[in-house]
Amino acid sequence: MTLLSRDAERTQLDGALAACMRGDTGIVLVEGAVGCGKSALLRHCADAAQRHGAATVRAAYPDCATDLATAVGDVPERTPVVVCLDDIDQADAASLGRLTAWVRTTSHTTRAGGLLLVLTAADAPSRDAGLDTELLKHPAYTRIRVGLLDRPATAALVRQHTGAPVARAVADGLHRISGGNPLLLRALLSEPGHVPEPGGPFSRAVLSCLERCGSAAPRLARALAALGDSATPERVASVLRMTPTEAARTLTALRATGLALGERLRHAATAAAVLDGMDPTEREELHRRVARVLHASRAEAAVIADSLRACGGIDDSDKSGDSGSCGSFGSSGSSGSDWVVPVLREAAQQAMAVDEPERAAACLQLAHASCATDTDEPARDEIMLQLAALTWRLSPAAAEQHLEEPLAALRAGRLGAATAGHLARLLVAQGCIEEGAEALSRTTGTDALRELFALPPGGSHPTPPGGEHLSACAALWSHPGHQDDAKDAERFLDGAPAAQGTHEALAQAVRTLVHTDQPRRAAEWCRRLQEQAARHRAPGLRAMYGTLHAEALLRLGDLAGAEREASTAIGAVAGRGGHFRSAPVAVLVMALTDMGRYDEAARHLEPLVPERTLATVHALPLLRARGRYFLATHRAEAALGEFLDLGRLARRWDLDRPRQHPWRTDAAEALLRLGRHQEATALIAEQLALPDATGARLRGVALRLRAATETPRERTRLLTRAVAELRGSGDRLELARALADLGRGFQTLGEGTRAGSVVRRAWGLAADCGAAPLCEKILPGQDPGTPGSARGTVGVDRTGRLSGSERKVAALASAGYTNREIAAELFISTSTVEQHLTRIYRKLHISRRRDLPLDLEFDTCESAPLRS
């Protein structure tokens, strides 16, 4: 075999062999760390001796039955003899004694043929000193040191192993892991992809090296592995209960093997191999000792927490906490476990500061488990609240479970006012309005109540009236406001960072944009927030922002996009969504229903019937989705029941706000299907009279439904107004419905040409949304094709060329208004309308009225005056 980077050592051996062949007596000790190639040099010498005609005597190491004098004496006097003894450091005491005596005699013995004794020994602090002394006394003693391979030699060995050139980066990486130890390097090269696997060749080679480095080496390596980057000579000595000098001597041996670098194990794979090779019980005990030593030596909380997590914590029953376990640091109070919970809580805060939620949650869970049940109830409750706030971003279901214990403590009268305020905030954030109000009732008159309303989505929370805790929690969930809500929300989104304490408020700000007819802006913000949540490995947050994104797209009439985002949100919290899962499911069901995929919608509705689901705010969109599904599948009575249930819950929780839950118009639509027009009219009027019933979408839907109860002429007038309102709302699907009804109204009035234009536009817009059932209702038998392919849509880049006046004219013209009606609505002359239309056709590169864009800047008509 080829001995890489061993030219000097080979030359020394060849010289000693040549002297032996001339009749000289010599001794060569090949010394070095375990795995560095000593045995390979010994084999090289034995093979060379045989080629030169010398007799060889070989042994793995000299055992008690070996009589070297007899073995050599059996060789003819004039024949050179080469004795090769490997791993003499592994020999027992009796064998070493016999070897030492034989070496002593060779100093006074000559042979005509020559004698060469070649020994190998690994560096070991406890190696027999008597043999070393005898070797040094011998007049022809040569000592050869074998060290680790350097980077070029490592690359050469890799090339020899693979049979092909290797990239420098690859060779450097292998050298970094193996330290240049040939044994470890060859083991590493035999791993799949040269990546160490648990229990693989590299791990086995590491353990083998440690066993051959002496009895102290494995213990030291385990301490280094458990301490990690926190290892110091003092800490290692304390963990092992040995002196720093003893630890330093053993560490030197580990460095020589390439297993250690400085005061630490060289690589994480080495540390993993060392710890994996331990008995689990012994490994836990080691981590307990390490945790105590780290605490006694004032290590960082995060570092101590890693050891506590590895051992499952420490309690007062542990006997490993005597002062001896802390060595030179003394006990420093570490014999008890009262320090464990504070350290873990501090470590959780540090983990959150560097955006490591999983690590923070693990620390808090262990802190909770480490609290004594009878004496640490307040701490246990606070920790559970911290866990709930933290784990929502990871698992909404787990967050719900974490609130069960403090809620039980609240009902048992064991929860303080401040903690109750924190609990109220978290319950409301999870949609539990009534339970939040129950907790909030314990905070009146305390600072906790003021803190509860400290972070709005843009502006300030209303101060809740005294005693009206349910209203206060409803306000905390919905953030009702004034006409500037959307502007306030945008300002908040622009200025607030996405951090642990702001996600709830950010979500409410986005929800405000959705409910104030700004779905496009809401969708844009959701994309940004989703990207941040994805970078931070927060599936709960991804699902929350994804649900809002889906809702915004649904409001835009992008049914395929809403389905995609809702499905992704559901997948992000698969198996851990809890009650929150109802929210993305509701949007998904609405999208599937509007696309006519009723079987799929039904499959998502079936598992969501537990009573507990109806105890959270997330039940409200779910009830609406169920109602819309029943309405689409011709079960108007069942749909009406769902909408009325939604209304009862919304009133009960003081969340009866049409912008968020327009249950009255939904119920009115069901009543119209049932022929109960008077009741429908009353519900529509009731909704329009509510202070919160603002916004173009709400008005447009209400006008469309009210039109169904009017005479044909009045119906057309109301539908024309509904179209104008809905153009300003951003909701293309509702606009398509209103246009379809308007087209049928024109047909009823005998205005066939006008009706045809509006109907075609309604069908095109419905097709663009992907609403197959609506397309079939508008023009039966006509294939809607691919969403987005409908005729009559013009890109924003082209409509942007129109002036404000031209856009108003274009919007009214595309809604079916005649030139005379447009002139009357905008208070301009008919000839001015004609001039505007001429310029509009030229700018949009169209030649007729029917090709005007359907979704021309949805806010176009909002400012146009409309006659009642």
Side-chain angles (χ1 to χ4, degrees):
M1 63 173 292
T2 303
L3 291 172
L4 298 170
S5 296
R6 301 299 186 217
D7 293 343
E9 295 88 342
R10 194 168 56 244
T11 299
Q12 285 182 283
L13 273 176
D14 291 344
L17 178 59
C20 173
M21 298 303 293
R22 293 193 301 268
D24 294 340
T25 297
I27 297 178
V28 176
L29 174 63
V30 181
E31 189 179 31
V34 173
C36 287
K38 302 180 298 297
S39 297
L41 279 170
L42 190 66
R43 287 192 296 272
H44 164 78
C45 182
D47 293 343
Q50 286 182 332
R51 288 196 304 272
H52 287 84
T56 60
V57 178
R58 301 189 192 189
Y61 61 84
D63 56 44
C64 294
T66 301
D67 188 337
L68 293 176
T70 301
V72 173
D74 290 340
V75 179
E77 177 69 18
R78 295 192 174 278
T79 302
V81 177
V82 177
V83 179
C84 299
L85 300 179
D86 204 5
D87 294 331
I88 63 169
D89 53 289
Q90 300 294 318
D92 56 56
S95 297
L96 283 175
R98 295 172 66 86
L99 177 61
T100 302
W102 187 76
V103 168
R104 189 180 304 121
T105 62
T106 60
S107 301
H108 312 288
T109 302
T110 58
R111 281 180 54 88
L115 173 64
L116 176 62
L117 174 61
V118 185
L119 311 170
T120 70
D123 295 326
S126 58
R127 202 170 72 203
D128 183 77
L131 177 59
D132 282 345
T133 301
E134 289 301 328
L135 292 175
L136 288 169
K137 290 178 181 178
H138 200 285
Y141 170 62
T142 301
R143 183 170 176 266
I144 299 176
R145 286 288 306 172
V146 180
L148 299 169
L149 300 177
D150 58 14
R151 291 178 184 274
T154 298
L157 182 59
V158 175
R159 185 165 57 249
Q160 182 191 67
H161 179 87
T162 60
V166 62
R168 179 175 179 178
V170 173
D172 287 350
L174 294 172
H175 185 273
R176 187 164 51 251
I177 298 174
S178 67
N181 184 305
L183 176 64
L184 297 178
L185 181 57
R186 288 190 173 92
L188 190 57
L189 290 172
S190 65
E191 296 270 17
H194 307 330
V195 177
E197 292 184 348
F202 181 79
S203 294
R204 295 195 295 272
V206 167
L207 298 178
S208 175
C209 284
L210 288 173
E211 291 299 326
R212 294 167 58 190
C213 284
S215 60
R219 294 179 60 231
L220 181 70
R222 291 165 188 163
L224 291 174
L227 283 163
D229 290 340
S230 301
T232 65
E234 294 78 15
R235 285 171 177 168
V236 171
S238 294
V239 170
L240 297 177
R241 301 181 178 95
M242 64 170 57
T243 66
T245 301
E246 292 174 311
R249 186 166 58 242
T250 307
L251 181 57
T252 299
L254 292 186
R255 292 192 193 106
T257 64
L259 292 172
L261 181 65
E263 295 175 350
R264 296 163 180 77
L265 292 181
R266 175 176 287 275
H267 196 268
T270 306
V274 170
L275 293 175
D276 289 346
M278 295 182 68
D279 174 79
T281 302
E282 293 179 353
R283 184 167 57 241
E284 287 185 7
E285 177 57 30
L286 171 64
H287 283 298
R288 282 192 189 92
R289 292 204 308 272
V290 167
R292 290 185 182 278
V293 167
L294 289 172
H295 174 252
S297 61
R298 294 177 175 81
E300 288 287 330
V303 175
I304 304 172
D306 287 343
S307 292
L308 290 171
R309 288 168 53 204
C311 69
I314 297 175
D315 58 42
D316 289 325
S317 65
D318 290 323
K319 302 302 182 184
S320 60
D322 55 79
S323 59
S325 69
C326 296
S328 60
F329 300 110
S331 63
S332 188
S334 60
S335 58
S337 60
D338 55 323
W339 52 272
V340 170
V341 171
V343 163
L344 288 167
R345 295 182 72 176
E346 183 182 351
Q349 292 179 342
Q350 291 175 354
M352 285 308 303
V354 294
D355 200 28
E356 294 182 353
E358 295 93 345
R359 188 173 181 177
C363 289
L364 288 175
Q365 287 167 345
L366 184 55
H368 180 264
S370 300
C371 288
T373 306
D374 53 345
T375 60
D376 292 343
E377 281 292 347
R380 286 171 61 88
D381 293 332
E382 289 174 8
I383 291 169
M384 291 306 283
L385 293 179
Q386 285 181 286
L387 263 174
L390 170 64
T391 56
W392 202 99
R393 61 188 296 178
L394 304 173
S395 169
E400 292 168 7
Q401 293 173 359
H402 291 323
L403 292 184
E404 292 176 0
E405 186 176 313
L407 186 58
L410 175 85
R411 290 168 175 166
R414 299 194 308 269
L415 210 63
T419 309
H422 189 193
L423 174 61
R425 177 82 190 213
L426 293 174
L427 286 167
V428 173
Q430 293 184 7
C432 302
I433 300 296
E434 290 187 63
E435 292 170 333
E438 182 183 355
L440 187 60
S441 66
R442 310 294 178 91
T443 66
T444 303
T446 69
D447 291 339
L449 183 59
R450 287 191 292 273
E451 293 174 1
L452 193 64
F453 291 89
L455 190 59
S460 59
H461 287 303
T463 302
E468 296 182 5
H469 301 104
L470 193 66
S471 296
C473 288
L476 189 62
W477 173 264
S478 60
H479 303 304
H482 44 76
Q483 294 299 324
D484 294 331
D485 266 355
K487 294 179 181 178
D488 289 341
E490 284 270 13
R491 279 194 292 269
F492 178 76
L493 288 164
D494 274 328
Q500 172 67 13
T502 63
H503 288 295
E504 177 189 343
L506 289 170
Q508 293 292 7
V510 171
R511 194 175 287 117
T512 296
L513 292 179
V514 173
H515 295 151
T516 53
D517 295 340
Q518 299 292 328
R520 287 190 187 278
R521 294 294 299 148
E524 291 171 8
W525 278 109
C526 284
R527 290 189 193 96
R528 300 183 203 177
L529 293 167
Q530 282 174 282
E531 290 172 1
Q532 293 182 37
R535 286 197 299 270
H536 298 315
R537 306 182 309 280
L541 295 179
R542 277 207 314 276
M544 179 178 71
Y545 292 129
T547 300
L548 290 171
H549 194 180
E551 188 177 348
L553 294 176
L554 188 68
R555 284 291 182 97
L556 287 167
D558 183 356
L559 301 181
E563 179 200 4
R564 180 190 66 247
E565 293 298 328
S567 297
T568 302
I570 294 169
V573 290
R576 51 186 176 181
H579 303 136
F580 164 77
R581 185 176 180 274
S582 300
V585 166
V587 184
L588 178 61
V589 169
M590 293 273 282
L592 292 172
T593 297
D594 285 336
M595 288 189 284
R597 292 156 59 182
Y598 303 129
D599 290 343
E600 293 178 60
R603 284 197 296 272
H604 286 283
L605 284 173
E606 284 174 1
L608 296 170
V609 291
E611 280 299 315
R612 179 67 179 139
T613 301
L614 299 179
T616 71
V617 168
H618 305 303
L620 301 180
L622 179 63
L623 287 170
R624 184 171 191 236
R626 288 168 63 88
R628 299 302 303 181
Y629 166 77
F630 288 143
L631 203 60
T633 52
H634 311 294
R635 287 176 280 178
E637 196 70 54
L640 180 61
E642 298 293 323
F643 297 140
L644 294 178
D645 283 345
L646 191 164
R648 279 190 288 271
L649 276 179
R651 287 195 297 268
R652 174 175 162 182
W653 294 335
D654 198 18
L655 290 174
D656 188 10
R657 298 178 178 88
R659 288 198 309 191
Q660 296 178 24
H661 309 294
W663 65 271
R664 290 176 179 81
T665 47
D666 288 333
E669 188 169 355
L671 288 167
L672 290 173
R673 300 274 185 94
L674 294 169
R676 296 156 62 177
H677 288 200
Q678 190 172 356
E679 295 173 70
T681 301
L683 278 177
I684 295 169
E686 182 181 321
Q687 175 167 302
L688 289 174
L690 293 173
D692 190 58
T694 58
R697 183 178 183 278
L698 277 175
R699 292 194 300 268
V701 172
L703 288 169
R704 178 177 68 83
L705 293 173
R706 200 178 84 186
T709 66
E710 300 292 341
T711 62
R713 178 72 53 188
E714 179 63 14
R715 182 183 309 153
T716 303
R717 190 182 70 84
L718 289 175
L719 287 171
T720 299
R721 292 181 60 195
V723 167
E725 292 282 2
L726 289 168
R727 280 182 177 276
S729 74
D731 194 328
R732 295 182 300 164
L733 189 56
E734 283 297 341
L735 176 59
R737 292 187 177 114
L739 285 170
D741 289 354
L742 180 60
R744 284 191 291 272
F746 284 142
Q747 287 175 337
T748 302
L749 294 175
E751 300 183 33
T753 301
R754 192 174 185 183
S757 174
V758 174
V759 166
R760 283 192 297 272
R761 292 174 185 281
W763 185 92
L765 190 53
D768 205 39
C769 294
L774 183 57
C775 286
E776 180 63 19
K777 181 179 178 182
I778 296 171
L779 291 175
Q782 190 160 337
D783 183 8
T786 305
S789 64
R791 186 177 58 177
T793 58
V794 177
V796 175
D797 58 334
R798 292 169 61 189
T799 60
R801 302 173 186 174
L802 302 181
S803 67
S805 298
E806 290 167 350
R807 281 215 285 260
K808 290 177 183 178
V809 170
L812 292 170
S814 67
Y817 281 64
T818 66
N819 289 0
R820 183 174 297 177
E821 289 169 335
I822 294 173
E825 290 292 337
L826 298 180
F827 303 101
I828 56 179
S829 67
T830 304
S831 62
T832 301
V833 172
E834 292 170 351
Q835 292 170 17
H836 277 315
L837 285 173
T838 299
R839 288 193 294 270
I840 290 167
Y841 294 162
R842 184 176 66 251
K843 289 182 178 180
L844 298 184
H845 305 295
I846 58 177
S847 58
R848 52 189 177 179
R849 205 182 196 93
R850 62 177 289 184
D851 291 330
L852 285 167
L854 291 168
D855 50 357
L856 172 70
E857 292 296 325
F858 289 132
D859 60 348
T860 297
C861 288
E862 195 168 11
S863 59
L866 291 169
R867 293 177 296 181
S868 299

